[in-house]
Amino acid sequence: MRYVMRIENEIKLDYKDVLIRPKRSTLTSRSEVDITRAFSFKDSGQTITSVPIIAANMDGVGTIAMARAFLPHKMLVALHKHYELKVLKKFFESLTHEQAPYVFYTMGIKDTDVERLTALLKIVDEKKIAGICIDVANGYTERFVEFAKRMRDRFPSKILMAGNVVTGEIVEELALAGIDIIKVGIGPGSVCTTRKMTGVGYPQLSAVIECADAAHGIGVRICADGGCQVPGDVAKAFGAGGDFVMIGSMLSGHTESEMKPFQKGGEKYITYYGSSSEDAMLKHSGKIPHYRASEGKSVEVPYKGSVERTLQEILGGLRSACTYVGAQHLKELPKRTTFIRVTQQLNPRYQ
Ligand code: 5GP
C-alpha cells in the first residue's frame, strides 16, 4: 500500500490564542465565587475537595515549603523527585490525614524509582502518602501504560496521577489502566524546549479541550500541565475543561523555592530550570547521558519574596473570571465558557 503523508488541517490553539467572552451574571462580587471543587475518583475510590491548582513537581516549585504555603489554601503540590527519604519521611509524617491527599509523591518508571518508593513506604505510615504522581516526558510508551496498570494493582486506593499525553486515545488507555488524573501537556512549559528540539507537541488549549472531552466521557479527570504564564491562563485552562491545573513558572522565584537568591546588577534572582535541562541533569546525575539531548532550559527569575502575594493574584484572577461569566462555582466555569479566537495563525516558532 502506498504511504500517504497525513496533515491535520484543523487549527489547534494555545491559551494566548483565545479570550473568554463575558456573560450575563447574577453575581455581584468575587467573594460569592467558590473556587474549590470536590472530586470522587472512580478508580481509587478517594474523594478530595480542593482548589484544584497543583504546584509542578519541579525543583524550586514542588517543594515542601511550597506545600506548607499551599495547604492553608487547600491547593495541591506534587513534590519534586529529589528529596532525601529521611526529609520526605519527616514531612509526610507531619501531615494530618486530612492534609495527606493534597500532596503527591512524584516518581518516574525506572526500577530505581520503584525501589525508592518501596523504601519510603517502609519508613512512613502508608496512609500519609495518599497521592502518587507518575511523571514521564512521553506518556505514549507501552512501558508507561504497563507501569500505570502495575501501580494501580499494587496501590488500589491511592490517588494516581500520570502523564504526560495530549490526545484522547491515550487518555482512554490510561483511564483503563486505572489512572485517576491524567496529566496533559507536551511542550507548552515555559522552560520546555521539546517542541524546538524534537518538533513534537500539541497546542495546549486544544490538548486540554480534547483530552477533557475524552476523560469526562469515561469518568476520569485531567490535569492541564504547563503553559500558564498569567492568572488568566489558569482561568482559560479550567474553562477549557481542565479539572486540575499544574503550574511551574508562575510559582518560580519565590522564597518557597528553597533556593538561595543570587545577586546580579544590584537585583536578586532565582534560577528556574526545566526538569530535563542541562542544569537539572548535572545537578541530579552529575552528567548528561550521551543518548539524550536536553529538552529544557534555565531562566533567571527576579526574586519575588513569599509566594503568598502570587497566590492571591492567581486565586483572585480565577474568582474574577468566574464572576465575568456568571459561574458561582468553579465547576460551572467550563459550561459557561465561550472562547473567542484572537489570533489568526500560530506563531511559526510555536510560542
Ligand atoms: P510552566 O508552568 O512553567 O509553563 O510549565 C511547567 C511544566 O513544564 C511542568 O509541570 C512540566 O510538565 C513541564 N516541564 C518542566 N521541566 C521541563 C523540561 O525540562 N522539559 C520539558 N519538555 N517539560 C518540562
Side-chain angles (χ1 to χ4, degrees), residues 296-315:
K297 63 181 181 183
S298 302
V299 291
E300 292 171 352
V301 181
Y303 175 59
K304 296 174 236 164
S306 156
V307 78
E308 199 53 42
R309 170 103 196 90
T310 301
L311 294 189
Q312 294 307 331
E313 279 176 10
I314 297 172
L315 302 182

Side-chain angles (χ1 to χ4, degrees), residues 45-156:
Q46 300 293 334
T47 301
I48 178 169
T49 302
S50 67
V51 173
I53 294 176
I54 312 180
N57 48 278
M58 300 171 71
D59 283 6
V61 177
T63 63
I64 287 173
M66 195 66 79
R68 297 246 177 261
F70 268 41
L71 284 170
H73 296 278
K74 293 190 150 202
M75 295 165 77
L76 306 133
V77 172
L79 293 177
H80 68 66
K81 297 175 188 168
H82 308 292
Y83 281 113
E84 283 181 34
L85 289 187
K86 64 173 191 241
V87 176
L88 286 178
K89 170 183 160 65
K90 193 166 166 221
F91 172 64
F92 276 111
E93 282 185 346
S94 74
L95 297 176
T96 62
H97 285 295
E98 289 72 42
Q99 288 172 331
Y102 295 84
V103 182
F104 284 80
Y105 171 82
T106 305
M107 65 189 294
I109 60 170
K110 294 196 192 112
D111 291 346
T112 47
D113 291 301
V114 176
E115 286 157 19
R116 197 172 132 84
L117 175 63
T118 310
L120 182 64
L121 291 173
K122 275 193 187 137
I123 56 173
V124 178
D125 173 4
E126 266 239 12
K127 291 206 187 78
K128 295 289 179 93
I129 299 177
I132 298 179
C133 169
I134 310 165
D135 181 60
V136 295
N138 173 7
Y140 282 79
T141 64
E142 243 172 57
R143 186 174 134 83
F144 176 67
V145 178
E146 286 307 315
F147 187 87
K149 281 185 198 151
R150 285 204 303 279
M151 285 293 284
R152 174 52 76 213
D153 288 344
R154 185 157 171 206
F155 300 109

